[in-house]
């Protein structure tokens, strides 16, 4: 049974990162975060060929290393759940693609994939058509498919060579999408995150990124099917802020991926003007982030920060951050996205407890539902040992915690205080989703007031002093600093 999405803080975690598996994840939540965590985004827990779960072989089972659907559903008894659907692609190791390679035109899955010979007029793209594509690679996005009969063809592949794009215009893929979505609803998803959604529609001659009107038609079909099951959808898009805002205007929930860098800018420089401008225009129906399983998105603040201020915050990130180096976000460490910086948020703030808690307070006062990544939940530092072991830049922010480590971290004041802030965010009536936010920035301060009916809660951040105050204006009571 699907649990209704509510307004409490959501945790983002891998199935094996807070404890060794799903059972231990539930133990960790029940033991230490019963009141602090209301929802859980369990990052892809299906059998996968690559990319830490984001290249699924199937959605019909849970990777046995993590547990079973029963374990997922057990977590969902007390908390609402978010699942990932990689609507753009499937693993090259999946039965679908392997059968396609073995049987080619005789395969039941032949229409799942985008063959260049059939997609492009004339069988191949022109240089101009390749140039028009919004690419993640320095060439046309394809992999050479070698069939059992000895023939070859190029097949569309946006990301890694294990992540083969699906042809969402195909009736066979549309039926697969429907089956997958229904299965997620059956297993208790309250929200389904549509990963890499903007890449799903391809058109010869177009950018093949957020192609209208087809992308809207795909989204509307998915939303309509899931609304009938009481499940919300969340398209995941890292791009210019106008694209997610266009989704919000049509009533969809979106991500606020601009908040992380804008908050860093304010904390680094003492100037909250640009952050305040963004908070004033942010929609109410969004999920806020400071950290995720990916790096900090720089493209998301384009035109929200002047370019010179974006350059400045990047320079300050490496100057003020702890154990940070530009090479960790380079091709040397497998980073293919030049618009992301790999670090934990705590280390981006120099492992400074006070400024880290201030950043979280800003996030919790922002419009929408806050998401806290599991490393951020424990104020985790950059994991250089794991980074050097895997040579994967994003692993700097993917430390795996045993139950013993989680217990030990509960003794740290920053972890205890973050939990207090999360519980305040979950329980105070001023944080009603449909309430309002007043925000001002001046003289090194940022003042945010959340209002809902007669309730009013104020956050006043002193960037220069590195301190903040929270006051219940209705009751005339100071809630922070703690007594």
């Amino acid at each position: 049974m699907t649990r209704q999405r509510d307004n409490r803080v959501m945790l983002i975690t891998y199935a094996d990162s807070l404890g060794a598996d799903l059972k231990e994840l539930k133990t960790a939540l029940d033991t230490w975060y019963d009141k602090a965590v209301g929802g859980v985004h369990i990052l892809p827990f299906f059998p996968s060929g690559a990319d830490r779960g984001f290249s699924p072989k199937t959605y019909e089972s849970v990777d046995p290393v993590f547990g079973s659907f029963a374990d997922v559903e057990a977590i969902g008894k007390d908390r609402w759940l978010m699942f990932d659907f990689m609507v753009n692609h499937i693993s090259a190791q999946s039965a679908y693609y392997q059968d396609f390679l073995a049987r080619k035109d005789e395969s039941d899955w032949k229409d799942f994939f985008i063959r260049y010979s059939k997609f492009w007029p004339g069988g191949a793209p022109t240089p101009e058509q390749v140039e028009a594509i919004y690419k993640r690679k320095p060439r046309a996005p394809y992999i050479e498919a070698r069939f059992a009969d000895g023939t070859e063809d190029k097949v569309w592949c946006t990301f890694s060579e294990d992540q083969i794009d699906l042809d969402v215009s195909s009736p066979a893929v549309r039926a697969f999408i429907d089956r997958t979505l229904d299965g997620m609803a059956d297993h208790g998803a309250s929200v389904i995150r549509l990963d890499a959604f903007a890449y799903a529609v391809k058109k010869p001659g177009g950018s093949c990124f957020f192609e209208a009107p087809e992308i809207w038609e795909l989204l509307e079909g998915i939303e309509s099917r899931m609304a009938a099951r009481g499940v919300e959808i969340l398209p995941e898009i890292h791009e210019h802020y106008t694209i997610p805002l266009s989704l919000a205007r049509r009533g969809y929930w979106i991500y606020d991926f601009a908040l992380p860098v804008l908050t860093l800018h304010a904390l680094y420089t003492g100037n909250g003007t640009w952050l305040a401008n963004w908070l004033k225009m942010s929609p109410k129906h969004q999920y806020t982030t400071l950290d995720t399983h990916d790096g900090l998105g720089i493209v998301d603040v384009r035109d929200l920060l002047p370019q010179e201020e974006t350059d400045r915050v990047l320079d300050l990130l490496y100057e003020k951050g702890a154990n940070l180096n530009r090479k960790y976000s380079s091709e040397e460490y497998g980073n293919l996205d030049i618009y992301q910086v790999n670090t934990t948020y705590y280390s981006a703030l120099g492992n400074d407890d006070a400024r880290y808690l201030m950043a979280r307070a800003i996030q919790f006062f922002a419009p929408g539902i806050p998401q806290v990544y599991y490393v951020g939940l424990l104020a985790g530092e950059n994991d250089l040992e794991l980074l050097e072991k895997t040579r994967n830049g994003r692993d700097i922010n993917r430390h795996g915690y045993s139950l013993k480590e989680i217990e030990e971290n509960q003794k740290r004041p920053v972890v205890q205080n973050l939990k207090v802030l999360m519980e305040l965010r979950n329980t105070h009536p001023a944080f009603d989703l449909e309430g309002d936010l007043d925000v001002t920035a001046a003289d090194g301060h940022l003042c945010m007031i959340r209002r809902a009916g007669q309730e009013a809660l104020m956050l006043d951040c002193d960037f220069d002093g590195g301190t903040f105050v929270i006051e219940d204006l209705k009751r005339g009571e100071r809630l922070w600093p703690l007594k």
Side-chain angles (χ1 to χ4, degrees):
M1 179 179 177
T2 297
R3 185 180 182 88
Q4 188 71 33
R5 188 268 307 144
D6 59 42
N7 184 29
R8 294 177 294 166
V9 175
M10 167 169 264
L11 169 71
I12 309 171
T13 184
Y14 292 100
D16 61 347
S17 291
L18 284 179
D21 54 25
L22 289 163
K23 282 186 171 65
E24 290 198 358
L25 170 58
K26 185 177 188 306
T27 296
L29 291 170
D30 292 347
T31 303
W32 297 293
Y33 290 95
D34 185 46
K35 296 179 181 178
V37 171
V40 186
H41 175 192
I42 310 175
L43 294 165
F45 47 81
F46 310 100
S48 174
D51 197 17
R52 194 71 189 268
F54 283 90
S55 187
K57 299 177 185 178
T58 179
Y59 293 94
E60 295 177 4
S61 63
V62 173
D63 189 321
V65 171
F66 304 142
S68 67
F69 276 121
D71 297 317
V72 173
E73 293 163 14
I75 295 171
K77 287 181 180 178
D78 300 310
R79 297 169 179 84
W80 53 287
L81 300 178
M82 183 185 293
F83 297 172
D84 287 282
F85 178 36
M86 278 52 76
V87 66
N88 178 72
H89 54 261
I90 199 84
S91 172
Q93 301 173 53
S94 67
Y96 309 104
Y97 190 67
Q98 289 300 308
D99 189 78
F100 173 56
L101 293 180
R103 302 174 61 210
K104 198 176 176 180
D105 291 327
E106 300 303 314
S107 172
D108 292 339
W109 317 113
K110 66 181 185 300
D111 295 328
F112 258 44
F113 308 104
I114 305 171
R115 285 191 255 179
Y116 268 39
S117 61
K118 294 187 175 182
F119 178 82
W120 297 104
T126 65
E128 293 76 18
Q129 288 171 327
V130 173
E131 180 64 25
I133 298 172
Y134 185 103
K135 295 181 289 294
R136 299 290 294 263
K137 299 175 180 179
R139 59 165 175 78
Y142 67 83
I143 186 174
E144 289 283 0
R146 294 175 173 82
F147 299 100
D149 65 3
T151 61
E152 297 182 0
D153 200 351
K154 293 179 175 64
V155 173
W156 201 296
C157 179
T158 298
F159 300 104
S160 77
E161 293 191 353
D162 192 76
Q163 293 164 300
I164 310 299
D165 287 40
L166 295 168
D167 183 357
V168 298
S169 69
S170 161
V173 171
R174 291 298 182 98
F176 167 77
I177 291 172
D178 288 347
R179 288 195 307 273
T180 302
L181 294 169
D182 287 343
M184 290 184 172
D186 290 341
H187 291 297
S190 303
V191 183
I192 296 175
R193 176 183 183 270
L194 303 178
D195 182 73
F197 175 77
Y199 295 90
V201 173
K202 281 81 170 173
K203 293 167 68 173
S207 69
C208 303
F209 184 89
F210 211 82
E211 290 277 12
E214 293 86 352
I215 197 74
W216 292 113
E217 294 166 359
L218 176 63
L219 188 58
E220 288 161 8
I222 292 174
E223 194 277 335
S224 177
R225 189 177 191 89
M226 288 296 93
R229 300 291 305 270
V231 176
E232 293 177 344
I233 60 170
L234 176 62
E236 180 263 348
I237 299 174
H238 269 292
E239 243 303 323
H240 196 272
Y241 74 94
T242 54
I243 294 181
L245 287 188
S246 71
L247 288 160
R249 284 193 293 271
R250 295 195 181 208
Y252 294 103
W253 282 79
I254 64 168
Y255 274 109
D256 181 356
F257 287 136
L259 187 64
V261 173
L262 290 171
T263 300
L264 284 179
H265 177 269
L267 286 166
Y268 287 162
T269 67
N271 182 357
T273 301
W274 306 106
L275 172 59
N277 290 343
W278 171 243
L279 291 169
K280 290 174 184 177
M281 62 193 292
S282 295
K284 296 176 180 178
H285 291 178
Q286 64 174 6
Y287 290 86
T288 66
T289 66
L290 292 183
D291 45 4
T292 70
H293 62 285
D294 287 334
L296 296 177
I298 305 303
V299 68
D300 305 278
V301 297
R302 184 157 49 91
D303 297 329
L304 292 173
L305 270 180
Q307 186 57 52
E308 61 269 21
E309 291 300 317
T310 301
D311 295 340
R312 183 183 180 194
V313 77
L314 284 172
D315 289 340
L316 290 170
L317 181 62
Y318 292 107
E319 178 184 321
K320 294 177 177 292
N323 293 319
L324 260 173
N325 192 306
R326 291 181 187 274
K327 70 180 181 180
Y328 300 154
S329 299
S330 69
E331 289 186 22
E332 181 182 348
Y333 284 80
N335 191 51
L336 299 178
D337 190 342
I338 61 173
Y339 300 113
Q340 291 195 348
V341 177
N342 295 317
T343 178
T344 75
Y345 211 79
Y346 183 64
S347 287
L349 289 167
N351 299 337
D352 184 315
D353 290 5
R355 292 190 180 273
Y356 181 69
L357 292 170
M358 186 189 299
R360 287 298 178 189
I362 292 169
Q363 179 192 11
F364 296 165
F365 270 73
I369 297 175
Q371 291 185 315
V372 177
Y373 184 56
Y374 79 95
V375 177
L377 186 72
L378 298 174
E381 300 180 20
N382 283 337
D383 189 338
L384 300 187
E385 182 179 346
L386 179 62
L387 173 75
E388 295 297 346
K389 179 180 178 181
T390 65
R391 306 293 290 181
N392 179 351
R394 293 179 182 179
D395 282 349
I396 200 171
N397 190 25
R398 294 179 179 178
H399 179 78
Y401 293 88
S402 66
L403 290 179
K404 183 177 180 181
E405 282 182 283
I406 299 169
E407 183 176 22
E408 285 297 312
N409 271 277
Q410 301 306 305
K411 301 173 185 176
R412 297 168 60 205
V414 64
V415 173
Q416 295 170 5
N417 289 331
L418 176 56
K419 193 186 304 186
V420 171
L421 287 175
M422 293 170 71
E423 292 178 5
L424 175 65
R425 172 60 184 75
N426 286 344
T427 57
H428 199 285
F431 290 112
D432 187 286
L433 270 179
E434 303 307 323
D436 296 313
L437 171 67
D438 299 327
V439 57
T440 56
D443 303 322
H445 281 254
L446 179 79
C447 182
M448 303 171 69
I449 302 177
R450 288 291 297 257
R451 301 184 189 275
Q454 299 300 310
E455 300 289 343
L457 202 60
M458 181 188 73
L459 168 68
D460 183 27
C461 297
D462 177 354
F463 293 134
D464 293 334
T467 61
F468 64 96
V469 172
I470 299 176
E471 291 187 6
D472 187 322
L473 300 182
K474 178 183 177 182
R475 298 165 183 84
E477 180 182 2
R478 178 165 290 193
L479 304 180
W480 194 279
L482 299 174
K483 297 178 182 178

